[in-house]
Amino acid sequence: MKTSVALLACILLTIAGCGGSGLSVGGAVSYDGKPVDNGSIGFVAAGGGTTYGADIKGGKWNRKLPPGSYDVSIVDNTKKQLDKPYVNDIGQTVETETVTTIPDCYNVNSTLKVDIEPGKKVYDFLLAVPDNTENVVE
C-alpha cells in the first residue's frame, strides 16, 4: 500500500506543475466531513487522455483545466509516527512515514468522475467513509 500511494503521489506531483490553458477551476476536498489538509488531486481525461494534477492545501485545490470529462483520484499526505524508527541508506534516522488515510476507492481504484464545464468554477469533492456510498461532487 505504501508503495502504491507513494507512486500515485509522485505522479500527481509531477503533473501538477503542467500549466497550460483552460478554465480556472477549484474547490474544496473533505473526507468524512473534515477538510483534507495536505494532499493531491488528479484528473485524467475520459478515455485515457491527458492527465492533470493539483495540490490540496487546507482543504482547497485549484488549477486550469480544459473543459471535458475526467476521472478523478484523491490522496492525502498524512505523517504517521513509526513504532520503530530506523536509519535509512544515507544515515538519517527516520521517525515518520507519509501515508494516505483516504481509502483506495478514491485514488488507485477511484470511480470519481467530474465534468468541467464553461461557466462553472467550483467543484467540491465531499468524500464519505466507503460504507456510505453517498459521495458528493458539486
Side-chain angles (χ1 to χ4, degrees), residues 7-111:
L7 179 60
L8 179 62
C10 287
I11 291 169
L12 291 178
L13 289 175
T14 299
I15 58 179
C18 299
S21 61
L23 305 172
S24 290
V25 294
V29 180
S30 66
Y31 174 66
D32 195 19
K34 299 173 193 96
V36 173
D37 188 50
N38 182 24
S40 302
I41 184 167
F43 300 88
V44 179
T50 304
T51 302
Y52 303 89
D55 290 331
I56 301 168
K57 298 289 183 196
K60 303 284 184 189
W61 69 275
N62 62 66
R63 80 154 294 129
K64 288 186 176 183
L65 286 173
S69 297
Y70 295 90
D71 297 322
V72 180
S73 60
I74 298 171
V75 297
D76 67 331
N77 301 317
T78 301
K79 294 259 185 203
K80 177 184 170 194
Q81 192 70 32
L82 294 173
D83 292 333
K84 293 184 178 183
Y86 65 91
V87 176
N88 65 16
D89 294 340
I90 58 173
Q92 296 173 325
T93 300
V94 178
E95 298 178 353
T96 62
E97 67 180 343
T98 301
V99 298
T100 186
T101 57
I102 295 177
D104 288 352
C105 62
Y106 301 123
N107 43 71
V108 295
N109 296 319
S110 180
T111 58

Side-chain angles (χ1 to χ4, degrees), residues 110-121:
S110 180
T111 58
L112 295 172
K113 299 187 181 308
V114 68
D115 291 321
I116 303 296
E117 305 166 352
K120 185 173 180 186
K121 294 184 179 206

